[in-house]
Amino acid sequence: MTTDIYQAAIRPLLFNLVKADPEKLHTSTIHTLSQLGKIIHRPSTHWLDTRLQQTLCLSDKRLQQNLFGLKFPNPIGLAAGFDKDGIAAPIWGSLGFGFAELGTVTFHPQPGNPQPRMFRLPQDNAALNRMGFNNLGAADMNTRLTQLRKQLTLPIPIGINLGKSKITPLETAAQDYRDSFHLLKDCGDYFVVNVSSPNTPGLRSLQDSAMLSSILDALQQENLAQKPIFVKIAPDLEWEAISDIINLAKTYKLAGIIATNTTIRRDNLKTQIIAKTGKPPSSEAGGISGMPVRDRATEIIRFIYQQTQGKVPIIGVGGIFTPDDAWEKITAGACLIQVYTGWIYEGPWMIRRILKGLLAKLEEQGFDSISQAVGIRE
Ligand SMILES: Cc1cc2nc3c(=O)[nH]c(=O)nc-3n(C[C@H](O)[C@H](O)[C@H](O)COP(=O)(O)O)c2cc1C
C-alpha cells in the first residue's frame, strides 16, 4: 500500500538508520521540490504532474470553498515555515494541498539562529525549532514570485507570511512589516502578520494591542487592493489577550485569525533528552509543534469561534496528523486548516488520506459541503 512506503521504509530509514539531520533533510527536500516544481509545468514533463496528482491529490467539489474572494480546492494548506523563500511554490498544488503559505519572510534577508536549530521529538510526535526566520528577504521573494506568476497560473491560493526583521527595533516594527508588504502585495493571494514566533526576541510582545494596532493600521493603509490579511497567534496567550486580538481583527477588518503557532510550553513531554544536544527540551530554546500543541490550538479555535459567533474566519493549525484531528479543528470552528509537523511524520500521502477521511465524515453527517461542518461542535 502506498501509504506504507513512507511510514514503513522511508521514514525509519531517514529518521533512525541514517539519522538524517532534520534541517539538512529539510533543505534537500525543499530543493528537490523546487526542482520538481520547475519541471512539472513544462509540456515535455507534464506527465509527471499528472502522475503526482493521481497519487497525492483528491479533488471533490464537497471540499471546495470560496472564502475571502479566493477559491480553495480543499481545506488543507501547507503551514508557514516549510517554504520560507517560496522556492517550491509551483509544486504544492500537485502534492495535494488546497493552499500554501510561504514565509515567514522578513524585509531584510537574515541567516536565522545558529545551528542546530531544528530537532525531532519522535516520542512526542513533535518537533522543536528555533530557526529565527532564516530567509532571503522580501525583495528576493518578490523577484521570484513575480517571475513565476508571469509564467504560470498557480492552481491554489498562495499566502505570504510576514515577520519582523531581527535588526529592526520593536518600536519600528510597523514600518518593517509595511515595507515587506509593499514589496510583496501583488505576489500573494493573502497575507499573514506573524507576531507569534518564539524565535525572534520580543516578537510575541507585538501581540499586545497597541503594538499590533500600529502594525495592522500601517498594513491596511498600504492595502489599497484589499488583500485578505490575517494575524497568526501563539498558543500561549491568555484568553484576555486573545479577546483583544479578536477586537483588533474586527477593527482593522482582517480576513481572519490563524491559530496557532508553536508553543514555548514544555509540559507533558515524553522526550527526556534531545539526542543531538544531550539536554532536556526544557533547557532548549524554541517552539514545540505537532501533537503537544494539538489540543490547545483546538481550544483556541473554539474560543475564537464562540466569541465571534463564527463571524471571524479561522485557519486552524497545530498537531494535525489524522482525519479525526482535522475534523476536530473544523468542527471547533476552523474553515481552513494547515499542517507542518504531521506532514513530516505521516508523509506525502497524508493530505489525500485526511481528505478522504473528511469526505467520509461529511457522508456520515449527511453534509454536502465541508463548510457545513465548520463550527458545529463549538
Ligand atoms: C521547523 C518549523 C519552522 C516553522 N517556521 C515558521 C515560520 O517561519 N513562520 C510561522 O508563522 N510559523 C512557523 N512554524 C509554525 C507552523 O507554521 C505551525 O504554526 C506550527 O508548527 C503548528 O503546526 P504543526 O503542529 O502542524 O507543525 C514553523 C514550524 C516548524 C516545525
Side-chain angles (χ1 to χ4, degrees), residues 14-149:
L14 293 172
F15 287 17
N16 307 331
L17 212 61
V18 191
K19 294 200 185 329
D21 172 72
E23 182 165 355
K24 287 206 180 89
L25 187 59
H26 178 263
T27 308
S28 51
T29 306
I30 195 85
H31 280 107
T32 307
L33 293 176
S34 157
Q35 291 308 319
L36 208 55
K38 282 184 188 143
I39 59 173
I40 55 167
H41 297 286
R42 289 186 197 145
S44 60
T45 36
H46 192 63
W47 60 269
L48 200 56
D49 190 30
T50 313
R51 198 59 218 269
L52 275 177
Q53 291 198 31
Q54 280 166 352
T55 324
L56 303 176
C57 299
L58 184 65
S59 172
D60 189 300
K61 75 171 186 347
R62 289 170 292 173
L63 297 170
Q64 293 171 4
Q65 290 176 95
N66 288 313
L67 298 162
F68 353 104
L70 301 171
K71 190 171 175 191
F72 292 83
N74 74 61
I76 310 181
L78 177 76
F82 201 97
D83 190 1
K84 286 181 188 280
D85 294 304
I87 62 172
I91 198 80
W92 301 115
S94 305
L95 300 186
F97 288 99
F99 63 110
E101 193 170 306
L102 312 178
T104 295
V105 64
T106 53
F107 182 68
H108 298 285
Q110 55 184 46
N113 290 324
Q115 293 187 27
R117 52 192 181 177
M118 191 196 280
F119 309 92
R120 283 188 290 266
L121 279 52
Q123 287 166 287
D124 291 293
N125 277 322
L128 187 159
N129 93 83
R130 48 168 177 269
M131 305 301 287
F133 295 163
N134 51 310
N135 77 104
L136 300 170
D140 180 274
M141 188 185 269
N142 169 40
T143 308
R144 180 173 305 106
L145 294 181
T146 306
Q147 204 180 355
L148 181 69
R149 290 211 185 262

Side-chain angles (χ1 to χ4, degrees), residues 58-305:
L58 184 65
S59 172
D60 189 300
K61 75 171 186 347
R62 289 170 292 173
L63 297 170
Q64 293 171 4
Q65 290 176 95
N66 288 313
L67 298 162
F68 353 104
L70 301 171
K71 190 171 175 191
F72 292 83
N74 74 61
I76 310 181
L78 177 76
F82 201 97
D83 190 1
K84 286 181 188 280
D85 294 304
I87 62 172
I91 198 80
W92 301 115
S94 305
L95 300 186
F97 288 99
F99 63 110
E101 193 170 306
L102 312 178
T104 295
V105 64
T106 53
F107 182 68
H108 298 285
Q110 55 184 46
N113 290 324
Q115 293 187 27
R117 52 192 181 177
M118 191 196 280
F119 309 92
R120 283 188 290 266
L121 279 52
Q123 287 166 287
D124 291 293
N125 277 322
L128 187 159
N129 93 83
R130 48 168 177 269
M131 305 301 287
F133 295 163
N134 51 310
N135 77 104
L136 300 170
D140 180 274
M141 188 185 269
N142 169 40
T143 308
R144 180 173 305 106
L145 294 181
T146 306
Q147 204 180 355
L148 181 69
R149 290 211 185 262
K150 273 187 203 147
Q151 288 163 353
L152 49 103
T153 309
L154 294 170
I156 55 169
I158 296 292
I160 299 181
N161 179 305
L162 307 174
K164 182 190 77 71
S165 311
K166 192 174 179 190
I167 57 165
T168 301
L170 289 168
E171 302 74 60
T172 49
Q175 189 59 41
D176 188 82
Y177 281 95
R178 185 175 179 160
D179 289 342
S180 294
F181 182 64
H182 178 74
L183 279 177
L184 289 163
K185 59 188 177 185
D186 296 329
C187 304
D189 297 310
Y190 74 86
F191 289 83
V192 182
V193 181
N194 181 5
V195 279
S196 48
S197 163
N199 305 314
T200 294
L203 190 90
R204 283 170 305 144
S205 69
L206 299 176
Q207 292 173 119
D208 293 348
S209 280
M211 296 289 241
L212 187 54
S213 193
S214 68
I215 297 170
L216 299 178
D217 186 46
L219 290 185
Q220 290 297 34
Q221 279 184 37
E222 186 74 36
N223 189 16
L224 300 177
Q226 298 190 344
K227 290 268 170 120
I229 297 182
F230 291 80
V231 64
K232 182 167 177 179
I233 64 171
D236 309 312
L237 291 174
E238 302 292 336
W239 298 126
E240 207 183 321
I242 299 175
S243 294
D244 289 347
I245 292 176
I246 292 173
N247 286 335
L248 289 183
K250 290 178 186 159
T251 308
Y252 290 99
K253 300 193 168 32
L254 296 190
I257 296 175
I258 304 192
T260 67
N261 212 313
T262 55
T263 180
I264 56 167
R265 296 182 72 127
R266 298 289 187 266
D267 29 352
N268 302 322
L269 293 179
K270 293 190 193 84
T271 307
Q272 300 288 321
I273 295 289
I274 295 180
K276 188 118 198 163
T277 64
K279 290 192 203 152
S282 56
S283 308
E284 294 289 357
I288 302 264
S289 58
M291 201 72 96
V293 83
R294 183 186 66 182
D295 292 348
R296 176 63 185 158
T298 308
E299 198 179 24
I300 292 181
I301 292 164
R302 186 166 283 117
F303 177 79
I304 300 171
Y305 193 88

Side-chain angles (χ1 to χ4, degrees), residues 65 67-68 75 230 255-260 295-317 320 324-338 370-378:
Q65 290 176 95
L67 298 162
F68 353 104
F230 291 80
I257 296 175
I258 304 192
T260 67
D295 292 348
R296 176 63 185 158
T298 308
E299 198 179 24
I300 292 181
I301 292 164
R302 186 166 283 117
F303 177 79
I304 300 171
Y305 193 88
Q306 284 171 348
Q307 294 288 306
T308 61
Q309 293 85 42
K311 289 196 185 101
V312 171
I314 305 159
I315 301 182
V317 51
I320 298 174
D324 283 342
D325 297 336
W327 187 248
E328 277 279 304
K329 292 258 185 308
I330 292 169
T331 55
C335 54
L336 296 168
I337 54 177
Q338 295 176 319
I370 194 75
S371 58
Q372 288 176 297
V374 176
I376 55 164
R377 284 205 300 206
E378 45 127 345

